[in-house]
Amino acid sequence: MTSQPTPTKAAHGPGGPGEPGGGLQAGLKNRHLSMIAIGGVIGAGLFVGSSTGIATAGPGILLSYALVGTLVVLVMRMLGEMSAANPTSGSFSAHADRALGRWAGFSIGWLYWFFWVVVLAVEATAGAKILEGWIPAVPQWGWALIVMVVLTATNLVSVGSYGEFEFWFAGIKVVAIGGFIVVGALAVLGILPGADSDKASFANLTNHGGFLPNGPGTILTGVLLVVFSFMGSEIATLAAGESEDPQRAVTKSTNSIIWRIGVFYLGSILIVVSLLPWNDPAIKEKGSYVAALDSLGIAHAGQIMNFIVLTSVLSCLNSGLYTASRMAFSLGQRGDAPKAFAKTTSRGVPTAAIVVSVVFGFVAVFFNYKFPDSVFLFLVNSSGAVALFVWLVICFSQLRMRKIIQREAPEKLVVKMWLYPYLTWATAALIVFVLGYMLTDTEGESSGRTTVLLSLLVAAVVIVIAVVKEKVRGNRPAPAVEAEADKVSVG
């Protein structure tokens, strides 16, 4: 298989292939989509955020990961059902547009764009800190600027260059976690040659105060700590619209998400809490994965993990810019954003959508350095619950879209949500419960209550704008929906 993209088929848009403004093009290879789907569930949050969860819930954090993992599997199954029937760069926003109304597609699309723009600033800063530690001659803000510029250039060249970068970034993450699990498992079983693994044992799961040393309530507290590290699972459905075989790509990524979450999240965390007692001070001081590698006597464990975290950060930046720009493109195509966002180059690149997204990313980076405890803290908190809002909208969209697809093109139901509609309603109820439980968390400036209330405030503002906009234009269907009125299309 050649490594170069084959941008010969327009994935979206009225123009022909190769024409300026001809729409997005099928420049992603199947191997790109496979690795994007695998890597999409592995965020930097897994490496740097898991230590807090372990310190809170002990080995019981496995139940927290399992609960959120189950939630993600169910939500992605619903999204897979809709996206396999109609792959589109707008993904859940475009599905909500048709299933729930123009206001829903507008609102969740812009909220999701806002979330990823803030993530760009968070990840650029995280990556800059690591790079400054290696090469202190370049200041932190300089590194943030460099990584943003490089990845912006990558996205502006072609979707194939984004796919190629993400293929290797995700590949490093996958190999690293796979290697960690294998080495750790051998150490826990006592068959790793030359390893200093006196503490390693599955007995660590129950020996230090039990499996739930701080009580069963910490399972839900753990859920709040780990839920946001799963954001990104839906990227494969957005990217599928620019792939060689969109339906196959969506179906494959949907069907494989169970083992991906099981191996990369549950598998690696199980190894961490088996290699070390959950209350070992090193877990909080060094981070869970670094502490686990150190316990085996592996030299330079901290630098190895810094490299892996940096790779995850760059992957998240790369995908975040791609995702934000494609959502902006879809909003422009449906008339919910400036028309310029929907214009593409001859390579199928939505230049305006990318530039606007990265400009706001740069602005957020500036706020992070200039006003970290005020403006930037507000941005982070007010976008924090967007992941849960997106999942909730996917649930309600699927309830309506199943009926639409069954009525108009039942042959496109190649992926089906299990136990419809009962499991869909149960998933929605669980998401609402998690949001409600977050309101009980009142500790710190970034408490669960603060995050939910500020996110709801921003969501309310966006919904009001959407409703007013809809009334002004007389509830006319989106341009893309008009063009596809005779098909099962989602904008």
Side-chain angles (χ1 to χ4, degrees), residues 100-144:
L100 305 177
R102 295 295 305 280
W103 68 270
F106 176 98
S107 303
I108 205 64
W110 277 114
L111 285 172
Y112 191 69
W113 179 87
F114 173 56
F115 169 85
W116 279 110
V117 166
V118 175
V119 166
L120 289 179
V122 173
E123 299 295 340
T125 304
K129 285 181 180 177
I130 295 174
L131 289 165
E132 186 189 31
W134 291 344
I135 308 176
V138 179
Q140 194 179 122
W141 66 266
W143 280 119

Side-chain angles (χ1 to χ4, degrees), residues 316-477:
C316 190
L317 268 171
N318 196 36
S319 289
L321 182 52
Y322 171 84
T323 305
S325 65
R326 269 34 177 201
M327 186 57 74
F329 169 86
S330 178
L331 288 165
Q333 198 180 39
R334 287 178 274 143
D336 289 333
K339 291 182 180 178
F341 287 12
K343 293 182 179 179
T344 59
T345 66
S346 59
R347 289 175 174 266
V349 176
T351 304
I354 291 174
V355 171
V356 169
S357 299
V358 83
V359 164
F360 276 86
F362 276 124
V363 170
V365 169
F366 170 76
F367 285 147
N368 194 7
Y369 288 110
K370 194 71 176 174
F371 311 107
D373 299 321
S374 54
V375 179
F376 188 71
L377 186 63
F378 170 81
L379 291 177
V380 172
N381 285 337
S382 61
S383 66
V386 167
L388 293 168
F389 295 167
V390 167
W391 295 348
L392 198 58
V393 166
I394 289 172
C395 291
F396 291 128
S397 297
Q398 190 265 339
L399 287 169
R400 296 286 300 276
M401 280 302 296
R402 167 67 77 91
K403 295 175 182 177
I404 294 173
I405 298 170
Q406 283 179 325
R407 183 177 68 245
E408 299 185 4
E411 72 279 0
K412 292 190 175 183
L413 275 173
V414 294
V415 175
K416 289 186 178 181
M417 176 59 183
W418 307 296
L419 298 177
Y420 168 85
Y422 309 108
L423 206 47
T424 301
W425 279 112
T427 304
L430 181 57
I431 295 169
V432 171
F433 174 77
V434 171
L435 284 167
Y437 189 77
M438 286 178 71
L439 292 173
T440 67
D441 175 27
T442 58
E443 295 183 12
E445 292 180 318
S446 296
S447 65
R449 175 178 293 180
T450 301
T451 297
V452 171
L453 293 179
L454 286 180
S455 296
L456 283 172
L457 173 64
V458 172
V461 170
V462 175
I463 289 172
V464 167
I465 293 172
V467 171
V468 170
K469 183 177 174 65
E470 192 168 330
K471 287 186 179 296
V472 168
R473 65 186 170 195
N475 203 19
R476 295 190 301 273

Side-chain angles (χ1 to χ4, degrees), residues 186-201:
L186 291 175
V188 172
L189 296 171
I191 54 178
L192 182 67
D196 176 18
S197 53
D198 295 338
K199 297 180 181 178
S201 169

Side-chain angles (χ1 to χ4, degrees), residues 43-134:
L46 174 62
F47 300 110
V48 299
S50 54
S51 57
T52 304
I54 292 171
T56 300
I61 195 66
L62 285 165
L63 296 180
S64 302
Y65 275 103
L67 186 60
V68 179
T70 301
L71 183 63
V72 172
V73 167
L74 294 174
V75 170
M76 289 306 110
R77 186 76 186 181
M78 296 176 219
L79 182 55
E81 176 182 294
M82 296 184 289
S83 295
N86 185 54
T88 168
S89 62
S91 189
F92 50 84
S93 172
H95 303 323
D97 198 304
R98 178 138 197 238
L100 305 177
R102 295 295 305 280
W103 68 270
F106 176 98
S107 303
I108 205 64
W110 277 114
L111 285 172
Y112 191 69
W113 179 87
F114 173 56
F115 169 85
W116 279 110
V117 166
V118 175
V119 166
L120 289 179
V122 173
E123 299 295 340
T125 304
K129 285 181 180 177
I130 295 174
L131 289 165
E132 186 189 31
W134 291 344

Side-chain angles (χ1 to χ4, degrees), residues 13-338:
E19 297 175 12
L24 303 179
Q25 297 177 5
L28 291 176
K29 296 289 186 182
N30 287 330
R31 65 183 178 87
H32 293 154
L33 260 294
S34 296
M35 197 57 77
I36 288 169
I38 294 172
V41 297
I42 309 171
L46 174 62
F47 300 110
V48 299
S50 54
S51 57
T52 304
I54 292 171
T56 300
I61 195 66
L62 285 165
L63 296 180
S64 302
Y65 275 103
L67 186 60
V68 179
T70 301
L71 183 63
V72 172
V73 167
L74 294 174
V75 170
M76 289 306 110
R77 186 76 186 181
M78 296 176 219
L79 182 55
E81 176 182 294
M82 296 184 289
S83 295
N86 185 54
T88 168
S89 62
S91 189
F92 50 84
S93 172
H95 303 323
D97 198 304
R98 178 138 197 238
L100 305 177
R102 295 295 305 280
W103 68 270
F106 176 98
S107 303
I108 205 64
W110 277 114
L111 285 172
Y112 191 69
W113 179 87
F114 173 56
F115 169 85
W116 279 110
V117 166
V118 175
V119 166
L120 289 179
V122 173
E123 299 295 340
T125 304
K129 285 181 180 177
I130 295 174
L131 289 165
E132 186 189 31
W134 291 344
I135 308 176
V138 179
Q140 194 179 122
W141 66 266
W143 280 119
L145 181 65
I146 289 169
V147 295
M148 289 279 276
V149 168
V150 169
L151 293 177
T152 300
T154 300
N155 277 264
L156 284 172
V157 171
S158 70
V159 67
S161 62
Y162 154 74
E164 200 62 35
F165 265 70
E166 192 56 27
F167 177 82
W168 292 106
F169 285 153
I172 291 172
K173 289 190 292 186
V174 169
V175 170
I177 291 191
F180 174 81
I181 291 172
V182 170
V183 170
L186 291 175
V188 172
L189 296 171
I191 54 178
L192 182 67
D196 176 18
S197 53
D198 295 338
K199 297 180 181 178
S201 169
F202 285 122
N204 283 327
L205 296 174
T206 55
N207 274 0
H208 305 276
F211 187 69
L212 293 168
N214 297 322
T218 55
I219 296 173
L220 288 175
T221 306
V223 165
L224 304 187
L225 295 171
V226 307
V227 66
F228 302 109
S229 65
F230 283 84
M231 193 63 170
S233 306
E234 69 292 328
I235 291 175
T237 64
L238 279 89
E242 294 176 83
S243 69
E244 297 169 319
D245 189 347
Q247 190 178 74
R248 177 178 176 273
V250 170
T251 303
K252 187 176 179 181
S253 66
T254 301
N255 291 336
S256 65
I257 195 167
I258 296 176
W259 72 259
R260 286 185 276 132
I261 288 176
V263 171
F264 298 126
Y265 278 87
L266 293 177
S268 64
I269 294 297
L270 172 63
I271 294 300
V272 169
V273 293
S274 298
L275 285 174
L276 285 170
W278 69 272
N279 55 358
D280 191 308
I283 291 179
K284 269 198 129 177
E285 291 168 7
K286 302 177 182 178
S288 50
Y289 288 82
V290 173
L293 290 175
D294 269 345
S295 73
L296 299 180
I298 294 177
H300 309 295
Q303 292 304 319
I304 292 171
M305 192 50 60
N306 271 341
F307 173 73
I308 295 169
V309 171
L310 178 63
T311 303
S312 297
V313 164
L314 294 176
S315 171
C316 190
L317 268 171
N318 196 36
S319 289
L321 182 52
Y322 171 84
T323 305
S325 65
R326 269 34 177 201
M327 186 57 74
F329 169 86
S330 178
L331 288 165
Q333 198 180 39
R334 287 178 274 143
D336 289 333

